[in-house]
Coordinates of all heavy atoms in Angstrom, one line a residue:
N1 N -9.7 -9.2 3.2 CA -8.2 -9.2 3.1 C -7.8 -9.6 1.7 O -6.9 -10.4 1.5 CB -7.7 -10.2 4.2 CG -6.2 -9.9 4.4 OD1 -5.5 -9.4 3.5 ND2 -5.8 -10.2 5.6
A2 N -8.4 -9.1 0.7 CA -8.1 -9.4 -0.7 C -6.8 -8.8 -1.0 O -6.4 -7.7 -0.7 CB -9.2 -8.8 -1.6
G3 N -6.0 -9.7 -1.7 CA -4.6 -9.2 -2.1 C -3.6 -9.1 -1.0 O -2.6 -8.6 -1.2
G4 N -3.9 -9.6 0.2 CA -3.0 -9.5 1.3 C -2.9 -8.2 2.0 O -2.1 -8.0 2.8
F5 N -3.9 -7.3 1.7 CA -3.9 -6.0 2.4 C -4.9 -6.0 3.5 O -6.0 -6.5 3.4 CB -4.2 -4.9 1.4 CG -3.2 -4.7 0.4 CD1 -3.3 -5.1 -0.9 CD2 -2.0 -4.0 0.7 CE1 -2.3 -4.9 -1.8 CE2 -1.0 -3.8 -0.2 CZ -1.2 -4.2 -1.5
Q6 N -4.5 -5.4 4.7 CA -5.4 -5.2 5.8 C -6.2 -3.9 5.4 O -5.6 -2.9 5.0 CB -4.6 -5.0 7.1 CG -5.5 -4.7 8.2 CD -4.7 -4.6 9.5 OE1 -3.6 -5.1 9.6 NE2 -5.2 -3.9 10.5
K7 N -7.5 -3.9 5.5 CA -8.3 -2.8 5.1 C -8.2 -1.7 6.2 O -8.4 -1.9 7.3 CB -9.7 -3.2 4.9 CG -10.6 -2.2 4.3 CD -10.5 -2.3 2.8 CE -11.6 -1.5 2.2 NZ -11.7 -1.5 0.8
S8 N -7.9 -0.5 5.7 CA -7.9 0.7 6.6 C -8.4 1.9 5.7 O -8.0 2.0 4.5 CB -6.5 1.0 7.1 OG -6.5 2.1 7.9
L9 N -9.2 2.7 6.2 CA -9.7 3.8 5.4 C -9.1 5.1 5.9 O -8.8 5.3 7.0 CB -11.2 3.9 5.6 CG -12.1 2.8 5.1 CD1 -13.5 3.0 5.4 CD2 -11.9 2.6 3.6
G10 N -8.8 5.9 4.9 CA -8.2 7.2 5.2 C -8.3 8.1 3.9 O -8.7 7.6 2.8
T11 N -7.8 9.3 4.0 CA -7.7 10.1 2.9 C -6.3 10.6 2.7 O -5.5 10.5 3.6 CB -8.6 11.4 3.0 OG1 -8.2 12.1 4.2 CG2 -10.1 11.0 3.1
G12 N -6.0 11.1 1.6 CA -4.6 11.6 1.3 C -4.7 12.6 0.1 O -5.8 12.7 -0.5
F13 N -3.6 13.2 -0.2 CA -3.6 14.0 -1.3 C -2.2 14.0 -2.0 O -1.2 13.8 -1.4 CB -3.9 15.5 -1.0 CG -3.2 16.1 0.1 CD1 -2.0 16.8 -0.2 CD2 -3.6 16.0 1.4 CE1 -1.3 17.4 0.9 CE2 -2.9 16.6 2.5 CZ -1.7 17.3 2.2
V14 N -2.2 14.0 -3.3 CA -1.0 14.0 -4.1 C -0.3 15.3 -4.0 O -0.9 16.3 -4.2 CB -1.4 13.6 -5.6 CG1 -0.1 13.6 -6.5 CG2 -2.1 12.3 -5.7
I15 N 1.0 15.2 -3.8 CA 1.8 16.5 -3.7 C 2.9 16.6 -4.8 O 3.5 17.6 -4.8 CB 2.4 16.6 -2.3 CG1 3.4 15.5 -2.0 CG2 1.4 16.8 -1.2 CD1 4.3 15.8 -0.7
S16 N 3.0 15.6 -5.6 CA 4.0 15.7 -6.7 C 3.5 14.8 -7.8 O 2.8 13.7 -7.6 CB 5.4 15.3 -6.3 OG 5.5 13.9 -6.0
E17 N 3.9 15.1 -9.0 CA 3.5 14.3 -10.2 C 4.2 12.9 -10.2 O 3.7 12.1 -11.0 CB 3.9 15.1 -11.5 CG 3.0 16.3 -11.7 CD 3.4 17.1 -13.0 OE1 4.3 16.7 -13.7 OE2 2.7 18.1 -13.2
D18 N 5.2 12.7 -9.5 CA 5.9 11.4 -9.4 C 5.3 10.5 -8.3 O 5.9 9.5 -8.0 CB 7.4 11.6 -9.3 CG 7.8 12.2 -8.0 OD1 7.0 12.9 -7.4 OD2 9.0 12.1 -7.7
G19 N 4.1 10.9 -7.8 CA 3.4 10.0 -6.9 C 3.7 10.1 -5.4 O 3.4 9.1 -4.7
L20 N 4.1 11.2 -5.0 CA 4.2 11.4 -3.5 C 2.8 11.8 -3.0 O 2.1 12.6 -3.5 CB 5.2 12.5 -3.1 CG 6.6 12.2 -3.3 CD1 7.5 13.4 -2.9 CD2 7.0 11.0 -2.4
I21 N 2.4 11.1 -1.9 CA 1.1 11.3 -1.3 C 1.2 11.5 0.2 O 2.0 10.8 0.8 CB 0.2 10.0 -1.6 CG1 -0.1 9.9 -3.1 CG2 -1.1 10.1 -0.8 CD1 -0.9 8.7 -3.5
V22 N 0.5 12.5 0.7 CA 0.5 12.7 2.1 C -0.8 12.2 2.7 O -1.9 12.4 2.1 CB 0.7 14.2 2.4 CG1 0.5 14.5 3.9 CG2 2.0 14.7 1.9
T23 N -0.7 11.5 3.8 CA -1.9 10.9 4.5 C -1.6 11.0 6.0 O -0.6 11.5 6.4 CB -2.2 9.5 4.0 OG1 -3.5 9.1 4.6 CG2 -1.1 8.5 4.4
N24 N -2.5 10.5 6.8 CA -2.3 10.4 8.2 C -1.6 9.1 8.5 O -1.9 8.0 8.0 CB -3.7 10.4 9.0 CG -4.4 11.7 8.8 OD1 -5.3 11.8 8.1 ND2 -3.9 12.7 9.5
Y25 N -0.7 9.2 9.5 CA 0.1 8.0 9.9 C -0.7 6.9 10.4 O -0.5 5.7 10.2 CB 1.2 8.4 10.8 CG 2.1 7.2 11.3 CD1 2.8 6.5 10.4 CD2 2.0 6.7 12.6 CE1 3.6 5.4 10.8 CE2 2.8 5.6 13.0 CZ 3.5 5.0 12.1 OH 4.3 3.9 12.4
H26 N -1.8 7.2 11.2 CA -2.6 6.2 11.8 C -3.3 5.3 10.8 O -3.6 4.2 11.1 CB -3.6 6.8 12.8 CG -4.8 7.5 12.1 ND1 -4.8 8.8 11.9 CD2 -5.9 7.0 11.6 CE1 -5.9 9.1 11.3 NE2 -6.6 8.0 11.1
V27 N -3.4 5.8 9.6 CA -4.0 5.0 8.5 C -3.1 3.8 8.1 O -3.6 2.7 7.7 CB -4.3 5.9 7.3 CG1 -4.8 5.1 6.1 CG2 -5.4 6.9 7.7
V28 N -1.8 4.0 8.1 CA -0.8 3.0 7.6 C 0.0 2.4 8.7 O 0.7 1.4 8.4 CB 0.1 3.7 6.5 CG1 -0.7 4.2 5.3 CG2 1.0 4.8 7.1
K29 N -0.1 2.8 9.9 CA 0.8 2.3 10.9 C 0.7 0.8 11.3 O 1.7 0.2 11.7 CB 0.7 3.1 12.2 CG -0.5 2.9 13.0 CD -0.4 3.7 14.3 CE -1.6 3.4 15.2 NZ -1.6 4.2 16.4
N30 N -0.5 0.2 11.1 CA -0.6 -1.2 11.4 C 0.1 -2.1 10.5 O 0.5 -3.2 10.9 CB -2.1 -1.6 11.5 CG -2.8 -1.0 12.7 OD1 -2.2 -0.7 13.7 ND2 -4.1 -0.7 12.5
D31 N 0.4 -1.7 9.3 CA 1.1 -2.6 8.4 C 1.8 -1.7 7.3 O 1.5 -1.7 6.2 CB 0.2 -3.5 7.6 CG 0.9 -4.7 7.0 OD1 2.1 -4.7 7.0 OD2 0.2 -5.5 6.4
P32 N 2.8 -0.9 7.8 CA 3.5 0.1 6.9 C 4.3 -0.5 5.8 O 4.6 0.2 4.8 CB 4.4 0.9 7.9 CG 4.6 -0.1 9.0 CD 3.4 -0.9 9.1
N33 N 4.5 -1.8 5.8 CA 5.3 -2.4 4.7 C 4.3 -3.0 3.6 O 4.8 -3.6 2.7 CB 6.2 -3.5 5.2 CG 7.3 -2.9 6.1 OD1 7.9 -1.9 5.8 ND2 7.5 -3.5 7.2
N34 N 3.1 -2.9 3.8 CA 2.1 -3.4 2.9 C 0.9 -2.5 2.7 O -0.2 -2.7 3.2 CB 1.6 -4.7 3.5 CG 0.9 -5.6 2.5 OD1 1.2 -5.6 1.3 ND2 0.0 -6.5 3.0
V35 N 1.2 -1.4 2.0 CA 0.3 -0.3 1.8 C -0.2 -0.2 0.4 O 0.6 -0.4 -0.6 CB 0.9 1.1 2.2 CG1 -0.1 2.2 2.0 CG2 1.4 1.1 3.7
A36 N -1.5 0.0 0.2 CA -2.0 0.2 -1.2 C -2.9 1.4 -1.1 O -3.5 1.7 0.0 CB -2.8 -1.0 -1.6
I37 N -3.1 2.1 -2.2 CA -4.0 3.2 -2.3 C -5.0 2.9 -3.4 O -4.7 2.2 -4.3 CB -3.3 4.5 -2.5 CG1 -2.5 4.6 -3.8 CG2 -2.3 4.8 -1.4 CD1 -3.1 5.5 -4.8
E38 N -6.1 3.6 -3.3 CA -7.1 3.5 -4.3 C -7.5 4.9 -4.7 O -7.9 5.7 -3.8 CB -8.4 2.7 -3.9 CG -9.4 2.6 -5.0 CD -10.6 1.7 -4.5 OE1 -10.4 0.8 -3.7 OE2 -11.7 1.8 -5.1
T39 N -7.5 5.2 -6.0 CA -7.8 6.6 -6.4 C -9.3 6.7 -6.6 O -10.0 5.7 -6.5 CB -7.2 6.9 -7.8 OG1 -7.7 5.9 -8.8 CG2 -5.6 6.8 -7.7
K40 N -9.8 7.9 -6.7 CA -11.2 8.2 -6.8 C -11.9 7.5 -8.0 O -13.1 7.3 -8.0 CB -11.5 9.7 -6.8 CG -11.1 10.4 -8.0 CD -11.4 11.9 -7.9 CE -11.0 12.7 -9.1 NZ -11.4 14.1 -9.0
N41 N -11.1 7.1 -9.0 CA -11.6 6.4 -10.2 C -11.5 4.9 -10.0 O -11.8 4.1 -10.9 CB -11.0 6.9 -11.5 CG -9.6 6.5 -11.6 OD1 -9.0 5.9 -10.7 ND2 -9.0 6.9 -12.7
G42 N -11.1 4.4 -8.8 CA -11.1 3.0 -8.5 C -9.8 2.3 -8.8 O -9.7 1.1 -8.6
Q43 N -8.8 2.9 -9.4 CA -7.5 2.3 -9.6 C -6.8 2.0 -8.3 O -6.8 2.9 -7.4 CB -6.7 3.2 -10.5 CG -7.2 3.4 -11.9 CD -7.1 2.2 -12.8 OE1 -6.7 1.1 -12.4 NE2 -7.4 2.4 -14.1
Q44 N -6.1 0.9 -8.2 CA -5.4 0.5 -7.0 C -3.9 0.4 -7.3 O -3.5 -0.1 -8.4 CB -5.9 -0.8 -6.5 CG -7.3 -0.7 -6.0 CD -7.9 -2.0 -5.4 OE1 -7.2 -3.0 -5.4 NE2 -9.0 -1.9 -4.8
Y45 N -3.1 0.9 -6.4 CA -1.6 0.9 -6.6 C -1.0 0.5 -5.2 O -1.5 0.8 -4.2 CB -1.1 2.3 -6.9 CG -1.7 2.8 -8.2 CD1 -2.9 3.6 -8.2 CD2 -1.1 2.6 -9.4 CE1 -3.4 4.1 -9.4 CE2 -1.6 3.1 -10.6 CZ -2.8 3.8 -10.6 OH -3.3 4.3 -11.7
R46 N 0.2 -0.2 -5.3 CA 1.0 -0.4 -4.2 C 1.7 0.9 -3.8 O 2.1 1.7 -4.7 CB 2.0 -1.5 -4.4 CG 1.5 -2.8 -4.5 CD 2.6 -3.9 -4.4 NE 2.0 -5.2 -4.0 CZ 1.8 -5.6 -2.8 NH1 2.0 -4.8 -1.8 NH2 1.2 -6.8 -2.6
A47 N 1.9 1.1 -2.6 CA 2.6 2.4 -2.1 C 3.7 2.0 -1.1 O 3.5 1.0 -0.4 CB 1.6 3.3 -1.5
S48 N 4.7 2.8 -1.0 CA 5.8 2.6 0.0 C 5.7 3.7 1.0 O 5.6 4.9 0.6 CB 7.1 2.6 -0.7 OG 7.2 1.5 -1.6
L49 N 5.9 3.4 2.2 CA 6.0 4.5 3.2 C 7.4 5.1 3.2 O 8.4 4.4 3.4 CB 5.8 3.9 4.6 CG 5.8 4.8 5.8 CD1 4.7 5.9 5.7 CD2 5.7 4.1 7.1
I50 N 7.5 6.3 2.8 CA 8.7 7.1 2.7 C 9.2 7.6 4.0 O 10.4 7.5 4.4 CB 8.6 8.2 1.6 CG1 8.3 7.6 0.3 CG2 9.9 9.0 1.6 CD1 9.3 6.6 -0.3
N51 N 8.3 8.3 4.7 CA 8.6 8.9 6.0 C 7.3 9.1 6.8 O 6.2 9.1 6.2 CB 9.4 10.2 5.8 CG 10.3 10.5 6.9 OD1 10.2 10.1 8.0 ND2 11.3 11.3 6.6
F52 N 7.5 9.3 8.1 CA 6.3 9.6 8.9 C 6.7 10.3 10.2 O 7.9 10.3 10.6 CB 5.6 8.3 9.3 CG 6.4 7.4 10.2 CD1 6.2 7.5 11.6 CD2 7.2 6.5 9.7 CE1 6.9 6.6 12.4 CE2 8.0 5.6 10.5 CZ 7.8 5.7 11.9
D53 N 5.7 10.9 10.8 CA 5.9 11.5 12.2 C 4.7 11.1 12.9 O 3.6 11.6 12.7 CB 6.0 13.0 12.1 CG 6.3 13.6 13.4 OD1 5.8 13.1 14.5 OD2 7.1 14.6 13.5
E54 N 4.9 10.1 13.8 CA 3.8 9.6 14.6 C 3.1 10.6 15.5 O 1.9 10.6 15.7 CB 4.2 8.4 15.4 CG 3.1 7.6 16.1 CD 3.5 6.3 16.7 OE1 4.7 6.0 16.8 OE2 2.6 5.5 17.0
E55 N 3.9 11.5 16.0 CA 3.4 12.5 17.0 C 2.4 13.5 16.3 O 1.4 13.8 16.9 CB 4.6 13.3 17.6 CG 4.2 14.2 18.7 CD 5.4 14.9 19.4 OE1 6.4 14.2 19.6 OE2 5.3 16.1 19.6
V56 N 2.7 13.9 15.1 CA 1.8 14.8 14.4 C 0.9 14.0 13.4 O 0.1 14.7 12.7 CB 2.5 15.9 13.7 CG1 3.2 16.8 14.7 CG2 3.5 15.4 12.7
D57 N 1.0 12.7 13.4 CA 0.1 11.8 12.6 C 0.1 12.1 11.1 O -0.9 12.3 10.5 CB -1.3 11.9 13.2 CG -2.2 10.8 12.6 OD1 -1.7 9.7 12.3 OD2 -3.4 11.0 12.5
I58 N 1.3 12.2 10.6 CA 1.4 12.4 9.1 C 2.4 11.4 8.5 O 3.3 10.9 9.2 CB 2.0 13.8 8.9 CG1 1.7 14.2 7.4 CG2 3.4 14.0 9.3 CD1 1.9 15.7 7.2
A59 N 2.1 11.0 7.3 CA 2.9 10.0 6.6 C 3.0 10.5 5.1 O 2.1 11.0 4.6 CB 2.3 8.6 6.7
V60 N 4.2 10.1 4.5 CA 4.4 10.4 3.1 C 4.6 9.1 2.4 O 5.4 8.2 2.9 CB 5.6 11.3 2.9 CG1 5.9 11.5 1.4 CG2 5.5 12.6 3.6
L61 N 3.8 8.8 1.4 CA 3.9 7.6 0.6 C 4.4 7.9 -0.8 O 4.2 9.0 -1.3 CB 2.5 7.0 0.5 CG 1.6 6.8 1.8 CD1 0.3 6.3 1.4 CD2 2.4 5.8 2.7
Q62 N 5.0 6.9 -1.3 CA 5.5 6.9 -2.7 C 4.7 5.9 -3.5 O 4.7 4.7 -3.1 CB 7.0 6.7 -2.8 CG 7.5 6.6 -4.3 CD 7.5 8.0 -4.9 OE1 8.2 8.9 -4.5 NE2 6.8 8.1 -6.0
V63 N 4.1 6.3 -4.6 CA 3.4 5.4 -5.5 C 4.1 5.5 -6.9 O 3.7 6.3 -7.7 CB 1.9 5.7 -5.6 CG1 1.2 4.7 -6.4 CG2 1.3 5.9 -4.2
P64 N 5.1 4.6 -7.1 CA 5.9 4.8 -8.3 C 5.1 4.5 -9.6 O 5.5 5.1 -10.7 CB 7.0 3.8 -8.2 CG 6.6 2.8 -7.2 CD 5.6 3.6 -6.3
D65 N 4.1 3.7 -9.6 CA 3.4 3.3 -10.8 C 2.3 4.2 -11.2 O 1.7 4.0 -12.3 CB 2.9 1.8 -10.7 CG 4.0 0.8 -10.5 OD1 5.1 1.1 -11.0 OD2 3.8 -0.2 -9.8
I66 N 2.0 5.2 -10.4 CA 0.8 6.0 -10.7 C 1.2 7.0 -11.8 O 2.3 7.5 -11.8 CB 0.3 6.7 -9.4 CG1 -1.1 7.2 -9.6 CG2 1.2 7.8 -9.0 CD1 -1.8 7.6 -8.3
K67 N 0.3 7.2 -12.7 CA 0.6 8.1 -13.9 C -0.5 9.1 -14.0 O -1.6 8.9 -13.6 CB 0.7 7.4 -15.2 CG 1.7 6.3 -15.2 CD 3.2 6.8 -15.1 CE 4.2 5.7 -15.2 NZ 5.1 5.6 -14.2
N68 N -0.2 10.3 -14.6 CA -1.2 11.3 -14.9 C -2.0 11.8 -13.7 O -3.2 11.9 -13.7 CB -2.2 10.8 -16.0 CG -1.5 10.4 -17.3 OD1 -0.6 11.1 -17.7 ND2 -1.9 9.3 -17.9
V69 N -1.2 12.1 -12.6 CA -1.9 12.6 -11.5 C -1.5 14.1 -11.4 O -0.4 14.5 -11.8 CB -1.4 11.9 -10.2 CG1 -2.0 10.5 -10.1 CG2 0.1 11.9 -10.0
K70 N -2.5 14.8 -10.9 CA -2.3 16.3 -10.7 C -2.1 16.6 -9.2 O -3.1 16.4 -8.5 CB -3.5 17.0 -11.3 CG -3.3 18.5 -11.3 CD -4.4 19.2 -12.0 CE -4.2 20.7 -11.9 NZ -5.3 21.5 -12.5
P71 N -1.0 17.1 -8.8 CA -0.8 17.5 -7.4 C -1.7 18.6 -7.0 O -2.1 19.4 -7.8 CB 0.7 17.9 -7.3 CG 1.3 17.7 -8.7 CD 0.2 17.4 -9.6
V72 N -2.0 18.6 -5.7 CA -2.8 19.7 -5.2 C -2.0 21.0 -5.3 O -0.7 21.0 -5.1 CB -3.2 19.5 -3.7 CG1 -4.2 18.4 -3.6 CG2 -2.1 19.4 -2.8
P73 N -2.6 22.1 -5.6 CA -1.8 23.4 -5.7 C -1.5 23.9 -4.3 O -2.4 23.8 -3.4 CB -2.8 24.3 -6.4 CG -4.1 23.8 -6.2 CD -4.0 22.3 -6.0
F74 N -0.4 24.4 -4.0 CA 0.0 25.0 -2.8 C 0.0 26.5 -2.9 O 0.3 27.0 -4.0 CB 1.4 24.5 -2.3 CG 1.5 23.1 -1.8 CD1 1.9 22.1 -2.6 CD2 1.0 22.8 -0.5 CE1 2.0 20.8 -2.2 CE2 1.1 21.5 -0.1 CZ 1.5 20.5 -0.9
G75 N -0.4 27.2 -1.9 CA -0.5 28.6 -1.9 C 0.9 29.2 -1.6 O 1.8 28.5 -1.3
D76 N 0.9 30.5 -1.7 CA 2.1 31.2 -1.4 C 1.9 32.1 -0.1 O 1.2 33.1 -0.2 CB 2.5 32.1 -2.6 CG 3.8 32.9 -2.4 OD1 4.4 32.9 -1.2 OD2 4.2 33.6 -3.3
S77 N 2.4 31.6 1.0 CA 2.2 32.2 2.3 C 2.8 33.6 2.3 O 2.3 34.4 3.2 CB 2.7 31.4 3.4 OG 4.1 31.2 3.3
S78 N 3.7 33.9 1.5 CA 4.3 35.3 1.5 C 3.4 36.4 1.0 O 3.6 37.6 1.3 CB 5.6 35.3 0.7 OG 5.3 35.2 -0.7
I79 N 2.3 36.0 0.4 CA 1.3 37.0 -0.1 C 0.1 37.2 0.8 O -0.8 38.0 0.6 CB 0.9 36.7 -1.5 CG1 0.1 35.4 -1.6 CG2 2.0 36.8 -2.5 CD1 -0.5 35.2 -3.0
L80 N 0.1 36.4 1.9 CA -1.0 36.5 2.9 C -0.9 37.8 3.7 O 0.2 38.3 4.0 CB -1.0 35.4 3.9 CG -1.5 34.0 3.3 CD1 -1.3 32.9 4.4 CD2 -2.9 34.1 2.8
R81 N -2.0 38.4 4.0 CA -2.1 39.5 4.9 C -2.7 39.2 6.2 O -3.4 38.2 6.3 CB -2.9 40.7 4.2 CG -2.3 41.2 2.9 CD -3.0 42.4 2.4 NE -4.5 42.2 2.4 CZ -5.2 41.9 1.3 NH1 -4.6 41.8 0.1 NH2 -6.5 41.8 1.3
T82 N -2.3 39.9 7.3 CA -2.9 39.6 8.6 C -4.4 39.6 8.5 O -5.0 40.5 7.9 CB -2.4 40.7 9.6 OG1 -1.0 40.8 9.6 CG2 -2.9 40.5 11.0
G83 N -5.0 38.5 9.1 CA -6.4 38.4 9.2 C -7.0 37.6 8.1 O -8.2 37.2 8.1
E84 N -6.2 37.2 7.0 CA -6.7 36.4 5.9 C -6.9 35.0 6.4 O -6.1 34.5 7.2 CB -5.8 36.5 4.7 CG -6.0 37.7 3.9 CD -5.2 37.6 2.6 OE1 -4.0 37.5 2.6 OE2 -5.9 37.6 1.5
F85 N -7.9 34.3 5.8 CA -8.1 32.9 6.1 C -7.0 32.0 5.5 O -6.6 32.2 4.4 CB -9.5 32.5 5.5 CG -9.8 31.1 5.8 CD1 -10.2 30.6 7.1 CD2 -9.8 30.1 4.8 CE1 -10.5 29.3 7.3 CE2 -10.1 28.8 5.0 CZ -10.5 28.4 6.3
A86 N -6.5 31.1 6.3 CA -5.5 30.2 5.8 C -5.6 28.8 6.5 O -6.1 28.8 7.6 CB -4.1 30.7 6.1
I87 N -5.3 27.8 5.8 CA -5.4 26.4 6.3 C -4.0 25.9 6.3 O -3.3 25.9 5.2 CB -6.3 25.5 5.6 CG1 -7.8 26.1 5.7 CG2 -6.3 24.1 6.1 CD1 -8.8 25.3 4.8
S88 N -3.5 25.3 7.4 CA -2.1 24.8 7.3 C -2.1 23.4 7.9 O -3.0 22.9 8.5 CB -1.2 25.6 8.1 OG -1.6 25.7 9.5

């Protein structure tokens, strides 16, 4: 319980350069007011829960202090053709 955080493991992905991160709600639901993230290079940041949907198990976090992050690229569903592989 270092730093006052309850340990919970999960994954997420950056969706904007200003630090919006999408993760699963079950990862943060036990203590949504005390969330931290750790990047793949070991940097740790405080995060705020912006919004969530418990039914579909999704949460959006804001990490205001994170810098130099590259958001995941989103595809353009309007160019898909019937039968093409897609993940949503």
Side-chain angles (χ1 to χ4, degrees):
N1 197 333
F5 292 103
Q6 179 178 337
K7 190 86 168 181
S8 180
L9 294 176
T11 59
F13 52 93
V14 178
I15 61 168
S16 71
E17 291 179 357
D18 62 342
L20 286 179
I21 295 176
V22 174
T23 189
N24 293 105
Y25 178 66
H26 74 266
V27 174
V28 298
K29 75 177 182 179
N30 289 334
D31 196 359
N33 296 315
N34 198 23
V35 177
I37 64 108
E38 184 173 332
T39 61
K40 67 180 179 180
N41 66 0
Q43 297 284 9
Q44 295 182 353
Y45 301 92
R46 287 194 163 276
S48 299
L49 180 63
I50 300 298
N51 210 336
F52 67 92
D53 186 323
E54 188 169 12
E55 188 173 316
V56 295
D57 193 30
I58 195 166
V60 178
L61 307 175
Q62 175 72 60
V63 184
D65 296 330
I66 200 166
K67 304 290 183 236
N68 300 320
V69 293
K70 185 176 179 184
V72 296
F74 287 99
D76 182 353
S77 62
S78 69
I79 62 173
L80 288 175
R81 295 187 312 258
T82 303
E84 281 191 298
F85 180 74
I87 298 175
S88 61

